[in-house]
Amino acid sequence: MSSLLTNASAMTALQTLSLTNKNMATTQNRIATGERVSGASDNAAYWSIATTMRSDNKAISSVQDSLGLGAGKVDTAYTGMNAAIEVVDEIKQKLVSAIGASAGDREKIQTEVSEFLGQLAGIAQSANYAGSNLLANAGDATADLSIVSSYNRAADGTVTVEKLAVVAADSQLTAADGTFAGLLAGFDAMDDTGISAAADDAAIEAFLSTVETALTSMTEAASTLGASKKRIDMQADFTSKLSDAIERGVGQLVDADMNAESARLSALQTQQQLGIQALSIANQSSQNILSLFR
């Protein structure tokens, strides 16, 4: 049946062309954004998961920053502690050489040891990183180092933040004002550091015992700082890999396959051309009816 009022062929062709144009717009959006799920309307479940994981990944990025800052602080303290151990070793050698030495030699050794003590205090004061000093501090909890190490989301959606703690009192060499404290507290207990023209071998040996005790404690502190640094480095490496894994997981949910989208676009362009042609043919059917009345 031919009708002037209703062109069924044109309506069908128009519906097909509209669907093709809609699909083409979707494909072009995927190519432009690189995502097949760029909004909740594309896939609500995947969009929600991806949005949450991207937010968590930003938090993990902050964790990486915290670990980097913490690593710098601990590494600075570790370097300072090793330098301090070398200075105390020098003091130890001088004390040994002072035993049995003449009064004049002891005076010279005393001068050297005094210089070493000044260097020791200077090292502790200089081991500062971003306002934190694990070698020169108050020796209480206010100087402790707390490093954010992880951001975790449980299955029920609750989140927790884990921290690594480094106790400042375990590595304290001086107070904030530079006076010996903590591991070197005994260095302030003997006048003239035990070496003088009037001192006897017993006094020197007493200070040598103090030095030995300090060396043992400092070595343990250096080991603890080294272990903390290693743990921070390992956590930083894991956090970096975790961030990459989350990013890949989000990509698998929402990223568009550009090869597939390119092929789909080519096919849709062909369908669009055919749809326009079909609509053109359908619109000519009304003109064909006129020929019946000629």
Side-chain angles (χ1 to χ4, degrees):
M1 170 180 163
S2 297
S3 172
L4 287 174
L5 300 178
T6 304
N7 191 334
S9 298
M11 294 172 62
T12 300
L14 183 60
Q15 290 175 356
T16 301
L17 182 60
S18 296
L19 179 60
T20 300
N21 289 339
K22 180 180 179 181
N23 290 336
M24 181 175 288
T26 298
T27 300
Q28 288 174 332
N29 180 68
R30 290 177 178 178
I31 293 174
T33 63
E35 298 178 337
R36 66 185 178 91
V37 180
S38 58
S41 59
D42 296 325
N43 187 313
Y46 280 5
W47 179 83
S48 176
I49 294 172
T51 299
T52 299
M53 295 312 297
R54 282 171 175 159
S55 176
D56 286 355
N57 225 9
K58 291 178 182 178
I60 291 175
S61 178
S62 296
V63 171
Q64 289 178 288
D65 293 340
S66 174
L67 288 168
L69 183 60
K73 293 179 178 180
V74 174
D75 188 43
T76 298
Y78 177 74
T79 301
M81 184 63 73
N82 282 332
I85 288 174
E86 292 178 2
V87 174
V88 175
D89 272 335
E90 291 288 344
I91 294 174
K92 174 181 174 181
Q93 293 177 41
K94 296 302 178 183
L95 289 174
V96 172
S97 65
I99 296 176
S102 65
D105 287 341
R106 287 182 179 179
E107 287 288 357
K108 296 176 182 177
I109 293 172
Q110 171 63 55
T111 299
E112 291 183 279
V113 170
S114 296
E115 291 296 326
F116 284 136
L117 290 174
Q119 176 67 13
L120 192 58
I123 289 173
Q125 294 292 308
S126 298
N128 185 296
Y129 186 98
S132 177
N133 194 324
L134 293 173
L135 304 188
N137 53 71
D140 55 25
T142 61
D144 290 351
L145 194 60
S146 182
I147 306 168
V148 176
S149 59
S150 65
Y151 179 88
N152 309 314
R153 181 179 293 276
D156 61 0
T158 58
V159 297
T160 56
V161 176
E162 300 294 334
K163 299 178 182 178
L164 295 175
V166 181
V167 181
D170 292 343
S171 56
Q172 183 194 25
L173 300 181
T174 72
D177 61 3
T179 57
F180 291 118
L183 305 182
L184 298 181
F187 279 40
D188 282 335
M190 301 186 67
D191 293 338
D192 207 27
T193 66
I195 309 170
S196 67
D200 57 16
D201 288 348
I204 297 173
E205 290 172 2
F207 187 54
L208 181 61
S209 177
T210 299
V211 170
E212 285 287 1
T213 300
L215 269 176
T216 299
S217 299
M218 292 169 72
T219 301
E220 292 176 355
S223 297
T224 300
L225 289 171
S228 296
K229 183 178 182 300
K230 180 65 174 179
R231 183 180 178 188
I232 292 171
D233 289 343
M234 292 176 64
Q235 184 64 21
D237 182 62
F238 166 73
T239 302
S240 177
K241 292 178 180 177
L242 176 62
S243 179
D244 291 343
I246 292 175
E247 192 67 28
R248 289 194 300 270
V250 171
Q252 291 174 348
L253 289 178
V254 302
D255 286 358
D257 184 340
M258 300 306 288
N259 291 330
E261 298 302 333
S262 177
R264 184 175 293 111
L265 180 62
S266 296
L268 288 170
Q269 287 173 336
T270 301
Q271 292 177 30
Q272 185 185 52
Q273 293 172 4
L274 291 174
I276 293 173
Q277 186 67 29
L279 182 59
S280 177
I281 293 172
N283 286 334
Q284 289 177 1
S285 62
S286 297
Q287 298 296 323
N288 294 334
I289 294 177
L290 291 176
S291 64
L292 298 175
F293 299 94
R294 291 174 183 170

